[in-house]
Amino acid sequence: MSGMRLILVGPPGAGKGTQAPKIKEKYGIAHLATGDMLRSQVARQTELGKEAKKIMDQGNLVSDEIVVGMIKDELLNNPECKNGFILDGFPRTVVQAEKLDALLAEMKLELNTVVELQVDDELLVRRITGRLVHPASGRSYHVEFNPPKVPMTDDVTGEPLVQRSDDNADALRKRLVNYHEQTAPVVDYYKGKNKWSPIAAAQAPEKVWEQIEAALKKVE
């Protein structure tokens, strides 16, 4: 299999949702987000899906083995994966990274790089706590960076905008602490293998994309 195989990491609000589709389109590769894979397996009632649903229904986290199994299933059966993939949301721990390495070695595939979107925590807090959403359409605004024409009102319909309950500073700071504790060792693990591409993601999305393109060109 030729193609581009990468892991995309970044804290909440760093822009993964903006950049992943651009990478997917440019390289014609699959975007494997952990949550989407889980939902797909559960919906299709595969063996992995049934097992995962049982665990989730009990309020527990799905095991590393199940997630690795889902990734293997995608690599074998998803035609988009023949050109490569973006892994999003996995691995979150060094143990998971080692299990992913073992799977890729078994399938004779090699990871090109780990793209890390780096943004200062305080900027992320400003980005996320200012987010406003029009519930019916999903259109999003930002009080500071992309304000609606009329405060708290959707530009298209004139209906009220809302702020998501988890888009608050306290919740976000907790998520960021967890993110740094979990992700720093994973990033160090890949740095040790020379598989790391740091991206300064506090800039405009177009500038971030230029950096990502340049980084991926080096590892093709």
Side-chain angles (χ1 to χ4, degrees), residues 16-82:
K16 287 190 300 178
T18 302
Q19 302 301 338
K22 291 184 177 180
I23 302 170
K24 173 183 165 78
E25 187 182 352
K26 171 159 185 177
Y27 288 95
I29 59 181
H31 179 200
L32 304 180
T34 314
D36 293 344
M37 285 191 290
L38 260 173
R39 282 186 286 276
S40 164
Q41 294 274 350
V42 170
R44 288 185 287 134
Q45 297 193 322
T46 63
E47 287 309 311
L48 282 169
K50 287 177 193 166
E51 211 177 320
K53 187 175 187 312
K54 207 184 299 174
I55 295 166
M56 290 189 295
D57 286 348
Q58 292 163 353
N60 296 321
L61 286 174
V62 174
S63 70
D64 295 350
E65 282 68 27
I66 288 180
V67 180
V68 170
M70 291 192 304
I71 294 167
K72 183 175 184 176
D73 182 54
E74 292 284 342
L75 294 180
L76 289 170
N77 300 312
N78 180 346
E80 284 188 329
C81 286
K82 72 177 188 302

Side-chain angles (χ1 to χ4, degrees), residues 160-200:
L161 300 174
V162 300
Q163 188 171 35
R164 291 190 185 129
S165 57
D166 59 347
D167 283 354
N168 67 74
D170 288 345
L172 177 61
R173 284 200 172 93
K174 280 187 191 130
R175 283 163 72 198
L176 288 171
V177 167
N178 288 342
Y179 171 79
H180 292 307
E181 283 175 355
Q182 282 188 334
T183 310
V186 175
V187 167
D188 287 342
Y189 174 82
Y190 286 111
K191 274 185 196 172
K193 293 176 171 284
N194 291 320
K195 301 271 186 198
W196 177 61
S197 301
I199 303 293

Side-chain angles (χ1 to χ4, degrees), residues 61-130:
L61 286 174
V62 174
S63 70
D64 295 350
E65 282 68 27
I66 288 180
V67 180
V68 170
M70 291 192 304
I71 294 167
K72 183 175 184 176
D73 182 54
E74 292 284 342
L75 294 180
L76 289 170
N77 300 312
N78 180 346
E80 284 188 329
C81 286
K82 72 177 188 302
N83 297 323
F85 58 80
I86 308 161
L87 258 182
D88 179 355
F90 189 91
R92 288 177 190 264
T93 65
V94 172
V95 170
Q96 290 177 349
E98 289 167 347
K99 287 181 176 166
L100 177 64
D101 275 356
L103 170 65
L104 294 176
E106 176 196 322
M107 299 185 77
K108 298 189 168 45
L109 295 173
E110 194 176 341
L111 199 64
N112 293 69
T113 192
V114 175
V115 172
E116 184 190 12
L117 301 181
Q118 300 177 319
V119 186
D120 178 70
D121 282 4
E122 285 314 304
L123 175 59
L124 289 172
V125 171
R126 274 169 58 209
R127 271 188 188 178
I128 285 197
T129 53

